Every structure is written in C-alpha cells, then in structure tokens.
Amino acid sequence: LQRRAPLTASASRARCPMARSARRGVVALAVALWARGSAGAGCHATAPNAAEACAARAPTGAPSLLQRRADLVPPKVAGGGSRTQVKGRQLLVNGTPIHLKGVAWNPVEKGRRLSNFRKAVHRDAPLLAKVGVNAVRTYYPITDAAVLDVLWSHGIWVLNCVYNYGGDPADGVVDKVNAVKGHPAILMWTIGNEWNYNGLYKGMGLWDSAARLQQVATLIKQHDATHPVACVYGELRDLKAVDARMPGVDVWGVNSYRGISFGDLFDSFAKATPKPLFVGEYGADAWNANA
C-alpha cells in the first residue's frame, strides 16, 4: 500500500444546492485507505526548531485566534519552496505525508441556497474536531479569514472550492484565491464537483468542461504557487484521457458511490494517473435503494 498515494480525505454526501438533493448521504468520518499518518501534519510552529517540533508532536497544534495576521503566511520548508507540496502520489506538508480525515462541509440553512460559513463555524468546528476530523472540503469558497481562523484553531485544514459553476467566468477565481491564499488553514484549492456528470452544472460537454477547468487551474497557479490544485471527478470513466488534458491538476478527488465496498477503485485509479487521490464523497447512493 505504501506505493500508492497516502492522501485520503473521505467526505459525507453534503451536497451543493445545485446538485441533486435525492443523493444526499450521511457518511461523516473518513477512512484511511491510501494514507499513512503524519505526526506533524497539523503542526504550526514558528520557532527556530520548527521542523523538529512539528515532527515530534501530534497534529494538535494550531495558531491562536489572537495570532497576528502577519503570522498567517505559510512557512517555507528547509531548502525553499512551499510547505504544501505534491511529490509523486504523496501530498506533503513540511516534507511529511499528510493523512486527511475529512468531511464535506456545506452548512446551508433550511430554506436557503448558499452556505453560511460564519454562522455555522462556531457550532460545527468543535464538533468536527471532537470526532477526529482534520479537514473539510467545501462546495462554495470560504473567503472570510475569520471562518478560517476558527477552523484552524481546531486543527482543521480546508480544501477550499473556488470554482464549480460553468456559468461563472474563469478569472473569477483570482479574487477568491488572493483573498485567503496566505492563511495556514488552506491546504488545497478544489475545482469542479463530479463535473463529468453535470457539465459544471451548466450542461457543458466533457471536453469543454475539462478545458474550462484547465483554464481555471492555470489562473490559480499564476496567482498562488504555494498550494496544490485538486479537481473532483465522478468515478473513473475517461479519467486517463481527461488527466492528460488537464496538467494543471495536481491531485484528483473522486466521488464514489459503490455501496459497501470500493471494489477496484484504487487499482483502477492507479492505472489512470500517477497523481495523488482523495475520496471526495463515498457511500451508498440514496437515489437507488438497490445500490
């Protein structure tokens, strides 16, 4: 298993309001399928011996809410470069593989269409941390540093969605990325959500959708070279061909609803692309009771 990607962030079926509500699920906690734990994954140390301190302790360290904004710039690893890096099938933080235990967090209030992160974060962050979650994946962008402060104070990383809807211009991601790219809670940017099924919620064709997301990934990298870009795909059909056309994607997320087992998901993924994988959503499909 060590030859495979040690990055796995499984998530609940909390859905974007644009998606089909009938397929919502209640799976919450992650399962570590391709992951090795990292003692320093959540460590935020700024002392001269920061590397040693992070390697020596569990991922419970997080900056205080009172920490100065100037301190929220991602630290550099020894030898230069970003603290978050993709190396082969591994996602590294400060040079150490990270083991994600995540949920999809989409706090939409009853009768509303958009997530209210600021209202929900004080309620949800302590509960997520209590059950062992160390990462959340969003369906809308978090651009409020105060929300990220609360999540980070509980040791929670953010896989921050910055583009899901094909009706939005590609360059709209620039302001979203620039708003919070210096915050330590940001682990990755995510683009698309099983867009090969929904055509970026606009009915776009597969290759038009892929071209748009490649354009978005390129724009993100032009404005932030310190965080990987992840793209969330539905299952694996055509992934090999899609991956070849999307070099701007560093990490693939896969939504898989195969029921009680993942079957050959990981072996098939390994044949399609050499990039890391995280499980974006998983479970039994509530739409099909026989699944």
Side-chain angles (χ1 to χ4, degrees):
L1 291 177
Q2 292 181 4
R3 66 180 176 86
R4 298 177 178 170
L7 167 63
T8 301
S10 304
S12 69
R13 190 65 175 186
R15 290 304 304 250
C16 166
M18 294 180 288
R20 298 188 301 275
S21 61
R23 297 179 63 192
R24 291 176 296 184
V26 294
V27 178
L29 284 179
V31 289
L33 292 170
W34 279 24
R36 281 188 301 180
S38 167
C43 180
H44 180 78
T46 56
N49 63 341
E52 292 80 7
C54 283
R57 73 187 188 191
T60 56
S64 165
L65 292 180
L66 300 179
Q67 186 173 15
R68 292 178 294 112
R69 182 65 52 205
D71 292 334
L72 295 182
V73 177
K76 302 294 184 180
V77 298
S82 169
R83 68 167 183 168
T84 308
Q85 300 171 311
V86 172
K87 187 175 181 180
R89 290 193 183 275
Q90 295 184 330
L91 177 67
L92 307 179
V93 176
N94 292 335
T96 303
I98 184 171
H99 174 183
L100 299 183
K101 297 172 286 183
V103 297
W105 187 49
N106 192 39
V108 178
E109 296 178 286
K110 184 177 180 180
R112 304 285 184 179
R113 290 184 57 82
L114 300 178
S115 299
N116 191 332
F117 294 116
R118 176 167 280 207
K119 184 174 181 179
V121 69
H122 292 283
R123 175 197 66 202
D124 292 353
L127 296 174
L128 292 170
K130 185 176 181 179
V131 296
V133 168
N134 70 355
V136 294
R137 173 195 164 211
T138 68
Y139 295 87
Y140 290 104
I142 300 177
T143 56
D144 186 344
V147 173
L148 296 174
D149 285 346
V150 177
L151 291 169
W152 190 238
S153 73
H154 289 86
I156 297 174
W157 298 97
V158 178
L159 285 71
N160 202 10
C161 170
V162 288
Y163 194 89
N164 262 352
Y165 177 55
D168 291 336
D171 60 7
V173 300
V174 174
D175 288 342
K176 298 169 187 175
V177 168
N178 285 338
V180 292
K181 66 183 181 183
H183 200 288
I186 299 296
L187 183 68
M188 289 185 277
W189 309 110
T190 72
I191 57 176
N193 179 57
E194 53 190 46
W195 52 272
N196 51 315
Y197 297 159
N198 57 50
L200 291 173
Y201 299 105
K202 191 71 174 173
M204 297 170 61
L206 177 67
W207 301 118
D208 287 340
S209 299
R212 173 68 61 81
L213 291 173
Q214 171 59 23
Q215 181 184 10
V216 169
T218 300
L219 285 166
I220 293 172
K221 291 174 181 292
Q222 288 173 356
H223 292 270
D224 178 25
T226 64
H227 296 96
V229 175
C231 188
V232 182
Y233 201 70
E235 272 291 340
L236 302 178
R237 184 175 180 179
D238 296 321
L239 180 58
K240 184 174 182 178
V242 168
D243 182 59
R245 295 196 187 193
M246 298 180 67
V249 172
D250 302 300
V251 178
W252 284 102
V254 171
N255 293 352
S256 178
Y257 283 77
R258 298 190 178 193
I260 199 169
S261 170
F262 287 104
D264 66 351
L265 177 73
F266 303 106
D267 287 331
S268 296
F269 177 87
K271 295 176 183 177
T273 172
K275 297 173 182 177
L277 160 72
F278 70 87
V279 177
E281 302 173 10
Y282 74 99
D285 198 327
W287 176 257
N288 181 0
N290 295 319

